[in-house]
Amino acid sequence: ILALVSVNQILLLLLVLTVCAIVYNKVHQVPLALRNETVDLESPEEMEEEIPVVICAAAGRMGAAVAAISSIYSNTEANVLFYVVGLKTTIPHIRKWIENSKLKEIKFKVVEFNPMVLRGKIRQDASRPELLQPLNFVRFYLPLLIQKHEKVIYLDDDVIVQGDIQELYDTKLAPGHAAAFSDDCDLPSTHEMVRSVGMQNTYMGFLDYRKQAIRDLGISPSTCSFNPGVIVANMTEWKHQRITKQLEKWMQRNVEENLYSSTLGGGVATSPMLIVFHGKYSSINPMWHIRHLGWSPDARYSEQFLQEAKLLHWNGRYKPWDYPSVHTDLWENWFIPDPSGKFKLTRPDS
């Protein structure tokens, strides 16, 4: 009888413990639906790819960077992170401009560029001193400025983006290519513009073929050039191929041998890229880089063509924030006035 009582007591105890365990779990367990809801709320943002866009903010032309950023931000739903690159003296100005305007909602990082990395690498050119500004060479040093991204977009400040930047970011780079550019011969509709302003669109317009070092490259002078004002870059390949070191080598050689032509193409930032990337780059959709809007104050594209363009570039001397210039209405659509009043547009009535 005693043994039977003991067994019953043990069974009763086990029953009580089981009931307690069930009640405890029901009280403390997080409902499965709630757990799923939490994951669903977090995962899209975690999985959304971040698109890094590098733009320089140079003294005297910060309004250009602001307009470019404004146009990109307004025309996409993508998760864009802007890297705004400036010199130490200009960084406070551009930061205040962004934070005290409607651009305060953007995701951005301000990055200081140290011009000391260029010491001894730039040959002075009195004919176009504006091309010697340190920020013109930021594109050479992308891996030093951008640490965590595999793919990066670099844009000159004198552009307006009318399309969804996601499309440009999705540009396919062939295996082994560190960058994609737009060929200067890619759009028949731009050929008339090029002829009308006498602009060079071949290597002859950028390199001095009288120099043996240039002839030794084996590049035909009639080879079509490309424009590095819009770049989609693969950082892994860039670092693997030591692109920055290669570019610096040709900068150094130019200082010593004067290899870059001072003709219309000219410039000291484009030429080394033409050499280093010759035959080793992918192509950007031509509509994502409509160029030459700044080459003449008179030559104009058709309005219909410009409306269809995804990206407009005022490369050349005649910038849309200055006067004279063309198609300024398309640029001013995205310009945001400087809250400090330091940057002002130059217009005929101003």
Side-chain angles (χ1 to χ4, degrees), residues 128 192-199 264 291-301 313-320 322-328:
R128 295 198 65 186
E192 185 178 342
M193 171 76 82
V194 171
R195 284 194 298 270
S196 69
V197 298
M199 196 190 81
L264 267 176
R291 307 181 283 296
H292 321 315
L293 277 75
W295 277 94
S296 166
D298 303 311
R300 300 175 67 92
Y301 288 114
H313 188 183
W314 279 262
N315 58 310
R317 298 172 184 264
Y318 301 97
K319 303 302 185 185
D322 281 334
Y323 180 83
S325 56
V326 295
H327 302 297
T328 54

Side-chain angles (χ1 to χ4, degrees), residues 175-222:
H177 285 179
F181 306 98
S182 292
D183 287 318
D184 283 329
C185 311
D186 57 9
L187 264 182
S189 51
T190 66
H191 293 173
E192 185 178 342
M193 171 76 82
V194 171
R195 284 194 298 270
S196 69
V197 298
M199 196 190 81
Q200 298 281 356
N201 62 354
T202 65
Y203 273 56
M204 177 66 84
F206 295 87
L207 305 178
D208 188 347
Y209 276 82
R210 295 171 299 180
K211 301 298 171 65
Q212 188 62 44
I214 297 301
R215 295 199 299 272
D216 287 346
L217 291 170
I219 303 173
S220 168
S222 62

Side-chain angles (χ1 to χ4, degrees), residues 144-183:
L144 300 182
L145 301 168
I146 313 299
Q147 301 295 333
K148 65 174 184 174
H149 300 285
E150 167 74 8
K151 198 175 186 182
V152 174
I153 293 174
Y154 167 87
L155 299 177
D156 276 354
D157 60 0
D158 51 356
V159 306
I160 288 296
V161 174
Q162 300 185 135
D164 186 343
I165 199 72
Q166 181 76 53
E167 291 180 30
L168 181 60
Y169 186 75
D170 290 340
T171 298
K172 301 296 183 186
L173 273 67
H177 285 179
F181 306 98
S182 292
D183 287 318

Side-chain angles (χ1 to χ4, degrees), residues 19 36 56 59 68 70 84 89 102 111 114 131-132 150 179 181 205 214 216 222 237 248 255 284 299 306 311 332 348:
V19 171
N36 285 342
C56 295
S70 171
V84 184
T89 54
K102 63 182 182 182
V111 181
N114 186 351
L131 297 177
L132 304 178
E150 167 74 8
F181 306 98
I214 297 301
D216 287 346
S222 62
E237 281 295 336
E248 287 185 325
V255 170
I284 290 172
L306 292 179
L311 182 148
E332 283 192 49

Side-chain angles (χ1 to χ4, degrees), residues 22-317:
I22 292 172
V23 171
Y24 179 89
N25 284 337
K26 284 190 175 293
V27 171
H28 292 86
Q29 183 181 22
V30 177
L32 184 61
L34 181 57
R35 290 207 307 273
N36 285 342
E37 183 181 2
T38 303
V39 171
D40 288 342
L41 286 172
E42 292 178 353
S43 58
E45 187 173 36
E46 290 175 352
M47 294 173 64
E48 186 181 9
E49 191 168 19
E50 197 169 60
I51 298 179
V53 176
V54 179
I55 295 180
C56 295
R61 47 193 290 163
M62 285 191 195
V66 166
I69 292 170
S70 171
S71 69
I72 295 166
Y73 180 66
S74 300
N75 287 307
T76 187
E77 296 295 326
N79 181 22
V80 181
L81 172 60
F82 293 97
Y83 284 84
V84 184
V85 186
L87 301 180
K88 187 174 183 179
T89 54
T90 62
I91 283 177
H93 187 186
I94 191 66
R95 183 185 292 279
K96 287 181 181 178
W97 199 331
I98 292 173
E99 292 176 347
N100 291 284
S101 70
K102 63 182 182 182
L103 291 181
K104 62 187 176 185
E105 303 297 328
I106 71 170
K107 290 172 59 179
F108 75 101
K109 292 183 179 180
V110 174
V111 181
E112 180 183 341
F113 182 69
N114 186 351
M116 292 300 291
V117 300
L118 301 172
R119 176 178 283 183
K121 300 184 181 74
I122 301 177
R123 185 182 184 87
Q124 298 302 312
D125 184 352
S127 64
R128 295 198 65 186
E130 74 275 11
L131 297 177
L132 304 178
Q133 297 301 317
L135 295 181
N136 283 337
F137 302 91
V138 162
R139 70 197 91 186
F140 289 18
Y141 297 95
L142 292 176
L144 300 182
L145 301 168
I146 313 299
Q147 301 295 333
K148 65 174 184 174
H149 300 285
E150 167 74 8
K151 198 175 186 182
V152 174
I153 293 174
Y154 167 87
L155 299 177
D156 276 354
D157 60 0
D158 51 356
V159 306
I160 288 296
V161 174
Q162 300 185 135
D164 186 343
I165 199 72
Q166 181 76 53
E167 291 180 30
L168 181 60
Y169 186 75
D170 290 340
T171 298
K172 301 296 183 186
L173 273 67
H177 285 179
F181 306 98
S182 292
D183 287 318
D184 283 329
C185 311
D186 57 9
L187 264 182
S189 51
T190 66
H191 293 173
E192 185 178 342
M193 171 76 82
V194 171
R195 284 194 298 270
S196 69
V197 298
M199 196 190 81
Q200 298 281 356
N201 62 354
T202 65
Y203 273 56
M204 177 66 84
F206 295 87
L207 305 178
D208 188 347
Y209 276 82
R210 295 171 299 180
K211 301 298 171 65
Q212 188 62 44
I214 297 301
R215 295 199 299 272
D216 287 346
L217 291 170
I219 303 173
S220 168
S222 62
T223 301
C224 185
S225 53
F226 59 81
N227 187 300
V230 177
I231 307 173
V232 181
N234 180 311
M235 291 293 92
T236 299
E237 281 295 336
W238 192 291
K239 288 182 277 191
H240 175 68
Q241 297 178 33
R242 297 169 62 84
I243 296 294
T244 298
K245 288 294 182 186
Q246 292 188 59
L247 292 167
E248 287 185 325
K249 181 190 82 170
W250 284 102
M251 293 170 73
Q252 194 70 53
R253 290 198 66 175
N254 183 56
V255 170
E256 299 163 0
E257 304 173 49
N258 193 19
L259 303 176
Y260 308 161
S261 171
S262 296
T263 61
L264 267 176
V268 290
T270 297
S271 300
M273 299 198 85
L274 291 177
I275 295 172
V276 171
F277 283 102
H278 174 253
K280 295 186 293 185
Y281 65 91
S282 298
S283 295
I284 290 172
N285 181 330
M287 296 305 287
W288 267 100
H289 196 177
I290 303 303
R291 307 181 283 296
H292 321 315
L293 277 75
W295 277 94
S296 166
D298 303 311
R300 300 175 67 92
Y301 288 114
S302 75
E303 291 302 322
Q304 180 180 350
F305 177 67
L306 292 179
Q307 291 298 329
E308 295 171 354
K310 304 287 188 178
L311 182 148
L312 305 175
H313 188 183
W314 279 262
N315 58 310
R317 298 172 184 264

